[in-house]
Amino acid sequence: MPQNKLSIAFYNLENLFDTINDPNILDHDFTPQGALNWDALRYAEKLKGLGGVIAEIGKDETGKCPVLVGVAEVENKKVLNELLQTEALQDLNYDFVHHNSPDERGIDTALLYDTQLFEVLETRSYSLHLHTDQGVRDYTRDILYVSGLFKGEQVYVLINHWPSRGEGVTISEPKRIAAAERNREIIAEIQTKEPEARIIIMGDFNDNPQSISVRDHLVSIDFYNPMVFLLTRYAGSLTHRGDWYLFDQIILSPNWMKAYDNPIEYEKSAIYNPEYLKEQEGKYRGNPLRTYAGDKYLGGLSDHFPVYTIFKM
């Protein structure tokens, strides 16, 4: 098994809520009394399954668990602590960074990291200020910023979960463009202090690599998006009405690509989609096996597949 390769990953955990009703967010459905009958057993099964997936991402290529795992749709620190206490993860060296976002549903982003390979130096959250046509604040997920030492190299990680397409792709697109531009503001701050900064942008962008928000407003000409090659008619990280999408992406500053004098060099990107994460039969065969379809409990783990990137040392 190769000893000189490491991976990082991103995974939308699809509504990882505990079973306790928080009066400050819209989480009542995810309680035993709620519409989804979300109870301790279902919660424990989801945690156990997600822990098992995270432990396996990239392992065939590297022989070890990912150094960094950005996650989306986590309710709070409690669910993250309980995720790290699952059988597959409890004996590993993971800790996490999490800040509460103002999202009305209470779903946040977070970063899991291997404490033996990544040292956190600084964390903060950057708000995205959006407003409706009536001028009312539209609360959404913050951008999570983490700087740290990755095998001794300082890196900057931005973890995103951009506004959804729920209102329609065209109507909601300006919100995702605003999210892209907010990332560029943060990147400019970083590069003012460190022009050659190693930057990783990851997240569920609710847009594909070729969407205007990602291609023109985030990646531009000075970042590299290896995920652009992973989306096909037959593969992606999620499906909707029979079509594949790749909303989950890991985007890199170009210094990860240098083929010389580079202690951490980009090698490849992939979608982690083993059979056990898929629907096994029927018209949705091959799709991610989600936890619920509407209010019907399916017992799957997420409506997204994780994505990951391999680096060689």
Side-chain angles (χ1 to χ4, degrees):
M1 192 63 73
Q3 297 300 310
N4 62 335
K5 295 185 180 181
L6 298 170
S7 67
I8 64 172
F10 177 81
Y11 196 9
N12 181 321
L13 305 183
E14 193 198 8
N15 296 319
L16 183 56
F17 286 91
D18 59 29
T19 60
I20 301 164
N21 189 25
D22 182 340
N24 297 310
I25 59 174
L26 302 176
D27 70 341
H28 183 263
D29 284 352
F30 286 91
T31 63
Q33 299 76 34
L36 300 176
N37 299 308
W38 185 240
D39 58 22
L41 178 60
R42 291 179 176 183
Y43 174 53
E45 288 179 345
K46 180 162 174 124
L47 283 173
K48 180 181 179 181
L50 290 172
V53 174
I54 289 167
E56 291 299 316
I57 298 172
K59 205 168 187 179
D60 285 349
E61 294 97 323
T62 68
K64 53 186 83 72
C65 305
V67 177
L68 304 175
V69 185
V71 293
E73 296 200 13
V74 295
E75 183 182 9
N76 50 36
K77 288 180 170 60
K78 177 178 183 290
V79 302
L80 288 161
N81 275 312
E82 290 171 349
L83 176 63
L84 296 190
Q85 289 164 14
T86 56
E87 182 180 357
L89 301 180
Q90 63 184 353
D91 294 330
L92 304 180
N93 305 299
Y94 280 127
D95 200 351
F96 67 84
V97 176
H98 167 265
H99 294 275
N100 271 321
S101 284
D103 181 83
E104 291 155 345
R105 291 184 54 225
I107 52 172
D108 304 330
T109 59
L111 179 69
L112 314 181
Y113 64 96
D114 182 333
T115 57
Q116 292 192 333
L117 296 171
F118 187 83
E119 177 188 351
V120 172
L121 299 177
E122 182 184 14
T123 78
R124 66 172 77 107
S125 57
Y126 286 85
S127 294
L128 179 60
H129 291 278
L130 301 173
H131 295 85
T132 66
D133 292 341
Q134 292 74 39
V136 178
R137 174 83 185 271
D138 183 3
Y139 290 98
T140 188
R141 281 77 60 174
D142 290 345
I143 300 163
L144 178 61
Y145 160 100
V146 180
S147 73
L149 297 177
F150 180 9
K151 293 286 285 186
E153 294 286 319
Q154 181 154 11
V155 302
Y156 300 84
V157 186
L158 303 179
I159 303 172
N160 292 260
H161 186 189
W162 288 5
S164 79
R165 296 179 166 202
E167 306 164 277
V169 178
T170 305
I171 292 173
S172 59
E173 184 177 67
K175 296 180 181 180
R176 291 186 294 281
I177 290 174
E181 291 172 345
R182 187 69 171 122
N183 275 267
R184 295 302 309 200
E185 291 171 5
I186 301 166
I187 290 164
E189 281 182 30
I190 295 168
Q191 291 177 334
T192 297
K193 297 179 290 186
E194 192 177 340
E196 296 301 315
R198 286 179 178 266
I199 300 172
I200 301 167
I201 314 165
M202 62 169 72
D204 174 355
F205 298 105
N206 271 301
D207 267 337
N208 287 320
Q210 290 289 9
S211 298
I212 290 169
S213 62
V214 177
R215 184 192 66 205
D216 297 344
H217 293 270
L218 180 63
V219 176
S220 189
I221 60 171
D222 57 343
F223 273 74
Y224 177 64
N225 188 356
M227 302 289 162
V228 74
F229 302 108
L230 299 182
L231 177 62
T232 70
R233 287 177 59 193
Y234 312 103
S237 62
L238 72 156
T239 59
H240 180 63
R241 295 181 178 173
D243 293 323
W244 283 100
Y245 296 86
L246 193 72
F247 292 171
D248 308 275
Q249 298 165 55
I250 300 172
I251 297 165
L252 304 169
S253 53
N255 41 15
W256 297 96
M257 313 299 157
K258 280 174 53 180
Y260 55 91
D261 297 331
N262 192 354
I264 311 173
E265 182 186 344
Y266 169 81
E267 183 175 87
K268 60 173 276 193
S269 294
I271 301 164
Y272 185 68
N273 55 0
E275 288 302 310
Y276 74 91
L277 291 182
K278 300 175 183 177
E279 295 258 12
Q280 294 300 308
E281 55 191 27
K283 69 176 183 177
Y284 300 114
R285 186 171 182 269
N287 289 7
L289 179 58
R290 57 196 306 163
T291 308
Y292 286 91
D295 58 4
K296 181 185 178 184
Y297 180 67
L298 302 182
L301 298 179
S302 176
D303 54 349
H304 291 240
F305 293 136
V307 295
Y308 65 102
T309 294
I310 302 291
F311 297 92
K312 53 188 176 184
M313 313 307 293

